[in-house]
């Protein structure tokens, strides 16, 4: 049986302003929050402690956000993953990866983050 990770969020984006916005949106959510600006940094954080939720931008300086999320899901199937992008992915991806509209209102993004954090495996 795979242990369910404690409630932690990992946010990944190359843009420091996007990470700052996600930091503000998530500050009242329960659990820990970690932030990374690229795929390599994010995977290192995942190896240290598997988060319950990973939200990644689509373009990272060292890879694609969807690729990162697929790797996380492959190794940690209980981790909820969301691609934070302007449009949904055009190619099929692993089951369990959702889309968070980058142009959505802060209240909509917050509601999606809350739902991802409260989901079960």
């Amino acid at each position: 049986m795979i242990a369910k990770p404690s409630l932690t969020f990992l946010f990944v984006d190359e843009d420091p302003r996007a990470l700052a916005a996600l930091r503000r949106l998530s500050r009242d959510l329960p659990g820990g929050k970690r932030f990374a600006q690229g795929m390599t940094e994010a995977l290192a954080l995942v190896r240290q402690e598997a988060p319950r939720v990973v939200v990644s931008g689509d373009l990272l300086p060292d890879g694609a956000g969807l690729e990162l999320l697929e790797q996380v899901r492959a190794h940690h199937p209980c981790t909820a993953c969301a691609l934070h992008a302007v449009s949904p992915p055009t190619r099929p991806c692993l089951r369990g990866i959702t889309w968070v509209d980058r142009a959505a209102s802060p209240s909509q993004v917050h509601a999606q983050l809350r739902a991802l954090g409260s989901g079960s495996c």
Side-chain angles (χ1 to χ4, degrees):
M1 183 173 155
I2 298 173
K4 188 174 184 178
S6 61
L7 182 55
T8 56
F9 291 83
L10 172 59
F11 297 98
V12 187
D13 202 295
E14 70 173 346
D15 183 356
R17 293 171 299 184
L19 286 177
L22 290 166
R23 183 176 280 117
R24 285 188 304 276
L25 283 171
S26 66
R27 68 178 164 231
D28 70 330
L29 295 176
K33 287 89 176 175
R34 297 181 296 165
F35 301 86
Q37 286 189 291
M39 189 169 176
T40 304
E41 182 182 0
L43 289 172
L45 291 171
V46 169
R47 281 191 293 277
Q48 288 174 5
E49 177 188 1
R52 174 116 41 103
V53 178
V54 178
V55 177
S56 178
D58 54 350
L59 300 174
L60 302 175
D62 54 353
L66 187 56
E67 181 185 341
L68 166 66
L69 297 174
E70 287 173 336
Q71 285 187 41
V72 170
R73 287 291 296 171
H75 291 94
H76 304 284
C78 287
T79 298
C81 292
L83 185 66
H84 188 227
V86 174
S87 58
T90 56
R91 68 176 177 84
C93 55
L94 290 176
R95 218 173 88 212
I97 297 176
T98 60
W99 172 58
V100 175
D101 187 351
R102 203 171 188 102
S105 70
S107 61
Q108 288 174 313
V109 174
H110 186 269
Q112 282 187 286
L113 293 175
R114 186 171 291 286
L116 286 167
S118 65
S120 62
C121 182

